Amino acid sequence: MDRNLRSILYFTAISCGLAWLVAWPLWQGDGLFDTRFGVVALAMMFTPAVAALAMVFIVERPAAKFRSLGLWPLKPAGRLLMYLALALIVPVALILVALPVGDALGVYPADFTGFSAFKAILATAGQGELPLPIETLVAMQFVNVLIGAFINLLPALGEELGWRGWLLPKLMPYGPVRAIVVSGIIWGAWHAPLILLGHNYPLAPGWLGVFMMIGMCILVGAAFGWLRLRSTSVWPAALAHGTFNAAAGFSMVFAAAGAPINTVNATILGWSGWIVPLLLAIVLVATRQFREAPASGKLAGQFPTHPPAAG
């Protein structure tokens, strides 16, 4: 087994093992209804970062440690800013476009004009008569997503430092498609401690939920990986992840009240929501967008596309 593959296996074992360790109190308690769920889920997001830091500072100890994680350098500034801007747009676009696609296929109960589910949520929250027209409140959700993207940046970096900061470049020697697929599989499987409890896929058996999460992570991970590789920085991927989490609630904003949403079939989590991300991934592969960006200092040759020699 070559050293690169051995490091990848170590990283996977550490990140997934820590995830199960952190989530174990939920399995011993009330699962998703446990009062500690929020704290546990937040702590779990930092386990990939712990694994990546362990690989960089203890196992491999490269000379340019922060560069190997994609944290540095923050240049060229123009390119980085462009991909940071895309990180605020692409995840929202993928989440939103999944809804009319699901509606057209008959698996997402949409209400794009009345916003009846959103009205019901506001009523349940005790707001009674709406203080503003519902259209204004819907528009304000886009502002909330922008704010939430930056609030979520730190915990999202806890994941992305592992998945796209360290792991994706390590997999690039085996080819970009394999790198995207394998990193997505690992990322999706890492969610198992929560998915098996019913998180994200409450209407599906646990094994199916994990399978669906892996599929979603491969395709959404392709977009995040593109941002990481083309910017040569982990920051756009982390901001995209934070934006993605902040925008997840749009599936309820545009839904019809009283109609259950089966996330196996609908939203970005379900198969209908994978169609556009799959098409995007195909375009990115066909146009060679997963190759290394133009060299910047020592970044040249960072992501070779041939298998490393065994060692």
Side-chain angles (χ1 to χ4, degrees):
M1 181 185 298
D2 63 70
R3 285 190 294 269
N4 196 56
L5 181 56
R6 189 181 301 118
S7 293
I8 291 168
L9 292 176
Y10 288 161
F11 166 84
T12 302
I14 294 171
S15 57
C16 293
L18 285 176
W20 274 102
L21 183 63
V22 169
W24 192 245
L26 302 181
W27 283 79
Q28 297 298 103
D30 296 323
L32 302 184
F33 302 101
D34 196 296
T35 56
R36 297 165 292 181
F37 175 80
V39 173
V40 168
L42 181 63
M44 187 172 155
M45 292 183 72
F46 288 93
T47 58
V50 172
L53 292 172
M55 298 308 301
V56 168
F57 285 92
I58 299 174
V59 179
E60 296 184 325
R61 292 180 287 182
K65 294 178 174 60
F66 293 105
R67 187 185 296 267
S68 69
L69 292 168
L71 289 168
W72 194 261
L74 303 179
K75 61 182 182 181
R79 181 174 69 193
L80 180 60
L81 288 173
M82 179 183 73
Y83 283 102
L84 286 171
L86 287 170
L88 293 170
I89 298 171
V90 173
V92 176
L94 293 179
I95 286 173
L96 289 178
V97 76
L99 305 182
V101 171
D103 179 43
L105 294 171
V107 295
Y108 175 69
D111 184 357
F112 293 124
T113 56
F115 314 107
S116 54
F118 189 42
K119 284 182 180 178
I121 291 171
L122 295 176
T124 302
Q127 295 193 18
E129 186 176 346
L130 299 181
L132 294 169
I134 187 63
E135 293 81 6
T136 302
L137 294 174
V138 169
M140 289 173 62
Q141 300 311 303
F142 288 86
V143 178
N144 290 340
V145 167
L146 180 62
I147 296 170
F150 289 96
I151 293 175
N152 291 338
L153 180 59
L154 182 58
L157 181 63
E159 285 197 47
E160 290 303 316
L161 204 61
W163 309 136
R164 257 63 64 175
W166 187 88
L167 178 62
L168 183 60
K170 279 290 179 181
L171 288 165
M172 285 299 288
Y174 306 100
V177 174
R178 286 192 187 122
I180 293 297
V181 171
V182 173
S183 62
I185 291 172
I186 295 172
W187 180 28
W190 169 87
H191 288 87
L194 299 184
I195 301 297
L196 290 172
L197 289 173
H199 187 54
N200 285 343
Y201 299 94
L203 301 181
W207 66 267
L208 180 57
V210 173
F211 176 80
M212 297 300 293
M213 193 68 186
I214 289 173
M216 192 276 291
C217 285
I218 291 172
L219 296 174
V220 173
F224 292 0
W226 165 63
L227 294 170
R228 185 335 184 188
L229 295 173
R230 296 303 294 165
S231 68
T232 66
S233 172
V234 73
W235 292 105
L239 184 58
H241 197 144
T243 304
F244 186 85
N245 289 350
F250 276 133
S251 61
M252 293 305 302
V253 171
F254 297 101
I261 300 174
N262 187 343
T263 49
V264 170
N265 301 320
T267 79
I268 191 67
L269 295 169
W271 61 265
S272 65
W274 299 354
I275 295 172
V276 172
L278 176 60
L279 293 175
L280 174 62
I282 291 172
V283 170
L284 292 175
V285 170
T287 55
R288 300 183 63 207
Q289 290 299 305
F290 291 120
R291 72 188 190 282
E292 178 186 8
S296 174
K298 293 182 181 179
L299 288 173
Q302 185 178 355
F303 309 129
T305 56
H306 55 82

